[in-house]
Amino acid sequence: MLKNVKEYLYPESLTEALDLLKKKGKSARVVGGGLDIIWRSPKSVEYLIDLENLGLSYIEEDEEKIKIGAKTTIGEAQKSLVVGKLFKGKLTKVFSEIATPIIRNVISFGGSVARNYPWSDITAILLSLDASLVIFTGEEKEMTLSEFMRVEIREFLDEAIIKEVRIKKFDPSYHFSYIRFTRTAADIPLLDEGILLKFDKEKKVEDAIVVVGARPFGPIRMEDVEDFLLGKTLTDEVIGKAKELVMDTVKVADDMRISGDYRRELTGVLTKRNLMSIREEI
Amino acid sequence: MKIKFKLNGEYVEFDAYPGESLFELLRRNGHTEVKGNNCKTGECGACTVLLDGVPVPSCTILAGRVKDRSVITIKGIGNVEKPHPLQKSFVEEGAVQCGYCIPGIILSMKALLDENPNPTREDIKKALSGHLCRCTGYIQQIEAVEKAIKLLKEEKNA
């Protein structure tokens, strides 16, 4: 139990929610799925601001983007036909491998992004898909997840609320692969990697995103590797060199779970597996 | 704070602490059919309830979140006199030993069958994957779900 919580609040609009957040300051916390709050049970929290009445559980699409409301759960995304259309169902499969079915029904997109834990599958996946966020600060503004990850998030979210996550509707020239390496299927990753590649008609890489997460630091784009892949076809030699380059340039460290050396080795293995998985599709 | 919600089909209004979990709220109000130890991480799945028909570990849900929503515990789907086909098949197939994990498992299986009346064995295994059972093992449970699928079809065609 969060013993110091005095009030559970149900604002009726984003404006009201933001006013409450600003008024209560550090003693307030916005509830997405609530999993992190209940798990950590921080003593400093005295007010919980629930976004339940704001209609933020949705997955919609327009011509260019898929829009995922902040309170949408991973379980809902996994069942979404809109998400299922991306990468021939591969993103659905990726979502279905995170945690367990019952926990996926609690984890929200907004909460995952707001907490930005370094081991989060969601942030690594979204970063490799070049996702953006709609942030409410009195007015709505869009920012990329990359930009969001560069701000002091905890401070930033004292005066802002995440409303929506947006993913581009990637056309069939884009291919995606994500691997989470875990001790058990339901565990958090010891390391994870997502790769998004766009190919031209000659099957050369036209655009590339390579993201390594849970290093144990948070997910990061491997820009040297992305640059290396541009203009290349995925031959065994290119895949081998990309693997070496990731291992040479990635910043990893030891933690209580595995050593940095093991993680470095893993980055190479996951890079090879991801690129081979993509090559099989093109 | 007062929280009004539908519990096993009937409206209830409970006094809740604003920072407690749904698990704590239910247990404090006599719903000891919800098992578990309030681990707050959904580790074992024993405390699973259906929230608007979706299985969730009640230890991970803030009580305030269920306001005006529907919560179903194992008591909400059947009883000894009139068991749900899943409850019947779990007993008949020997899928219950200590029984601690079973309420959560049966509710997850109910949600699975409500959504997909013809799941494959793989679908059943995946739906079971959030639930730890340390004594029965999972084979009898999978067989019990397969039997319940048949019972539900017979019920529908009767």
Side-chain angles (χ1 to χ4, degrees), chain B residues 58-87:
Chain B
S58 59
C59 68
T60 66
I61 302 293
L62 284 160
R65 286 195 63 202
V66 306
K67 186 184 167 209
D68 299 331
R69 298 173 76 180
S70 159
V71 174
I72 291 179
T73 72
I74 192 69
K75 281 191 176 172
I77 68 164
N79 54 37
V80 175
E81 287 75 37
K82 199 182 172 196
H84 186 278
L86 276 163
Q87 291 170 311

